[in-house]
Amino acid sequence: MRGRRIKIMHILLSLEYGGAERVAVNLVNQLHGNGFECFLCLCDKEGPLLRHLSRDVSVEVAGRKQGIDFVLPFKLKTIMRRFRPDIVHMHNSTALFYGVVAAKLAGIQKLILTQHGTSQQHSKMHIVIKMLSPYIKKAVAVSENSYWYCRKMYGLNNGRLKIIMNGIEENLYKEDRGKREEVRKRLGIKEEFIIGHIARLSEEKDQSTLLYAFAEVAAKIEKVKLIIVGEGPLRNTLHSIVYSLRLEDKVIFVGGQDDIASFLNIFDLFVLSSVREGTSLTLLEAMAAGVPVVATNVGGNSKVVLDNKTGMLVPPKNPNILAEKIMYLLNSSPVRRSFAEAARERVVKEFSIDLSLIHI
């Protein structure tokens, strides 16, 4: 390969808003042109994160059918033979399921997996994935929880598997008072406390628990609003919960947003209510922006948040305790300030994207 750039084909489902998708885009942008030529193959569709991808990175959509698509590996094989990658890098289990078969058909030997979290796949699919996993040369888990998931579900061992925590460009999330006032004015928010949440609107993020917790908070603190940033399949369900709790004037859904930093600037508190999590980018970004956080004690969250030092950890699916911790922080400005300062310092020291890239 001496004398030319190493070609890497990344396989993922889409470029919709999501943590795994953002990690993949950041990785491609960092590597492309720096000794590597990257190419994205999307199983399902494109998405808004395409705007964040370097313009000279090629993207192709395979078009997966619903259910198990027996034709997809052959589509991927055709794409691989046209692009002729040296390495195929698959992101999460579905990409592994189809990507390994396609790579073997195309005669590609160097296969890499990044597991961004955990998933609830059909048991038969896991059996097949476990049969395919011996072809994986190297695998990366973004959290300890993801690591043990790979050990158990894929049968990967220490020789092929390592943990590399997600990282961010922390300088993108510095406090901007001017931006804070601009966004608050645009949303029609005056003196209220703002609780923020940024995530895909899906089952594993469990926004319903957040809404029930917020109902308790809103009943006791008059000037407070909840802003939810993100899109996903549960949007209508979550709107229905808001109406049933009579929180229409308190909860604002702003959809998916490109400028995450602007919204972080207006949050007084960031809450992550997930039931499953890898290493959450939005959690790291909130901490980098100096926003105090409350997060569920699942997945990689406990490796990011030091309980009662850089934020607070709560059990999942417990709206009462979540509401209690939210109200405690909203009523204690010195604690919020202390958590925010310690959180930013921790992100800069432990979760810079430069530190993550050192291990690649």
Side-chain angles (χ1 to χ4, degrees), residues 10 12 52 55 68 70 112 120 134 139 221 223 238 289-290 302 321 323 345 348 353:
H10 291 261
L12 58 160
H52 296 264
R55 290 187 177 183
I68 297 179
F70 294 100
I112 298 174
Q120 294 180 329
I221 299 177
K223 293 186 176 182
L238 296 173
S302 64
I321 294 179
E345 181 179 353
V348 170
I353 193 169

Side-chain angles (χ1 to χ4, degrees), residues 38-55:
C38 295
F39 172 83
L40 260 63
C41 183
L42 308 174
C43 294
D44 294 346
K45 57 184 177 180
E46 292 181 351
L49 289 178
L50 182 64
R51 295 191 294 268
H52 296 264
L53 193 66
S54 295
R55 290 187 177 183

Side-chain angles (χ1 to χ4, degrees), residues 168 170-177 180 194 261 263-270 282-293 310-311 333-348:
I168 62 168
E170 71 278 356
N171 288 330
L172 298 178
Y173 303 97
K174 290 183 177 178
E175 184 178 20
D176 185 335
R177 301 300 298 183
R180 175 181 173 87
I194 298 180
F263 283 89
L264 289 171
N265 262 293
I266 70 171
F267 295 165
D268 297 295
L269 184 65
F270 178 82
T282 53
L283 191 56
L284 292 173
E285 289 164 345
M287 293 169 64
V291 182
V293 301
T310 65
S333 178
V335 176
R336 292 202 312 275
R337 189 160 51 248
S338 173
F339 282 179
E341 291 172 357
R344 176 160 176 82
E345 181 179 353
R346 177 165 172 75
V347 170
V348 170

Side-chain angles (χ1 to χ4, degrees), residues 10 31 56 64 80 132 158 165 217 273 291 311-312 339 359:
H10 291 261
L31 294 179
D56 58 341
R64 180 174 62 137
M80 288 176 188
L132 296 173
N158 284 336
M165 304 286 277
V217 174
S273 50
V291 182
M312 302 189 103
F339 282 179
H359 300 287

